[in-house]
Amino acid sequence: MSYEAVFFDLDNTLYPYAPCNEAGKRAAFDALRERGYELDRETFDDLYAAGRREAKRETRTTAASHNRHVYFKRALRRHAGDPAVASALAAGDAYWDGYVDAMSLCDGVEAVFDAFAAAGTDVAIVTNLTTRVQLRKLARLGIDDRIDLLVTSEEVGREKPSALPFTSALAELDCRPSEVLAVGDNVETDLAGANALGIDTALFVADGDAPADADLPERQRPDHRLDAFADLTEVAT
């Protein structure tokens, strides 16, 4: 069927996440080494993981749970016993510089967006993370002028699968749930969140394997599965 709008997740949906995350961590590791921290990569990874766990535990359901500067602030305090303000800032900045430099669109994204534009289908990005970082990613990917709306969990105050990011996008585009398709890689945040509102869903995982329907509870099951991003043209127009 055709839809009035398509809501896309960003991370690991429009581009592969894993290589970018690794590039970001490598850049942050190098930045800390340059600042005199005598860390090997294993120790760095352990500190990063500990800072990430602590941040996610204490900022759960909010966009701050993804903030790499928070991860490094917590990790360096654990490592050095002091705030390490300048180092946390340097590591966080280096992470995102390295991450963004490694980004590239999945095959087929631009052609699908062109098809949506020709069909008059609105494109929204509905994403968990802070607004500045997601704006930077969209600019890097060269699709900032191809989307009609960006909704981040930071600006609505709740993370997917909360209804708020989705209902905010519906209101902005003046669409009913039945007129929208939501596309994402995460069955809990992207699919369960949209399914709960009666929005049709499509599962596409840019990097990694998608779980089988038989392994998923009903609330996480997609209406469509995409083997390639280009398959969206047939599903949504």
Side-chain angles (χ1 to χ4, degrees):
M1 65 173 291
S2 61
Y3 295 92
E4 294 297 316
V6 180
F7 294 175
F8 287 97
D9 176 53
L10 177 54
D11 303 302
N12 213 35
T13 299
L14 298 184
Y15 73 95
Y17 168 80
C20 301
N21 182 51
E22 171 55 27
K25 289 198 291 186
R26 188 167 56 247
F29 171 68
D30 290 343
L32 291 177
R33 294 277 294 177
E34 289 172 4
R35 296 184 68 85
Y37 286 84
E38 296 182 358
L39 302 170
D40 57 27
R41 181 57 195 265
E42 182 178 1
T43 301
F44 169 87
D45 286 342
D46 288 345
L47 285 169
Y48 178 86
R52 180 178 183 273
R53 284 194 303 271
E54 184 177 317
K56 285 190 173 293
R57 182 177 65 247
E58 297 183 11
T59 61
R60 187 173 58 88
T61 78
T62 73
S65 67
H66 307 283
N67 191 314
R68 272 47 167 194
H69 288 83
V70 175
Y71 298 178
F72 289 116
K73 173 181 174 290
R74 300 299 181 93
L76 292 175
R77 183 173 181 83
R78 175 185 291 264
H79 175 71
D82 60 57
V85 171
S87 295
L89 177 62
D93 288 350
Y95 174 91
W96 285 120
D97 288 345
Y99 186 110
V100 169
D101 283 348
M103 293 179 73
S104 60
L105 281 174
C106 293
D107 290 342
V109 171
E110 291 179 304
V112 168
F113 282 11
D114 286 344
F116 287 163
T121 304
D122 287 330
V123 171
I125 307 296
V126 181
T127 176
N128 285 350
L129 224 157
T130 54
T131 304
R132 183 183 187 281
V133 168
Q134 300 305 68
L135 288 170
R136 188 176 177 191
K137 290 176 185 176
L138 291 171
R140 166 65 179 179
L141 291 170
I143 57 173
D144 48 311
D145 60 347
R146 292 171 175 258
I147 66 169
D148 300 288
L149 178 68
L150 168 66
V151 175
T152 69
S153 59
E154 180 185 41
E155 61 188 311
V156 300
R158 291 290 186 275
E159 294 261 278
K160 296 180 294 183
S162 166
L164 274 175
F166 298 103
T167 56
S168 295
L170 289 169
E172 286 283 346
L173 296 177
D174 193 23
C175 288
R176 296 186 295 272
S178 60
E179 297 174 325
V180 174
L181 176 70
V183 183
D185 71 296
N186 189 305
V187 296
E188 175 56 31
T189 58
D190 302 324
L191 271 60
N195 282 337
L197 293 173
I199 297 173
D200 284 355
T201 54
L203 179 63
F204 178 73
V205 181
D207 185 31
D209 297 324
D213 279 0
D215 298 327
L216 299 173
E218 184 68 28
R219 65 187 179 83
Q220 295 180 349
R221 291 180 186 170
D223 296 294
H224 307 279
R225 285 177 171 270
L226 308 173
D227 294 324
F229 199 93
D231 294 344
L232 260 178
T233 303
E234 295 183 9
V235 170
T237 59

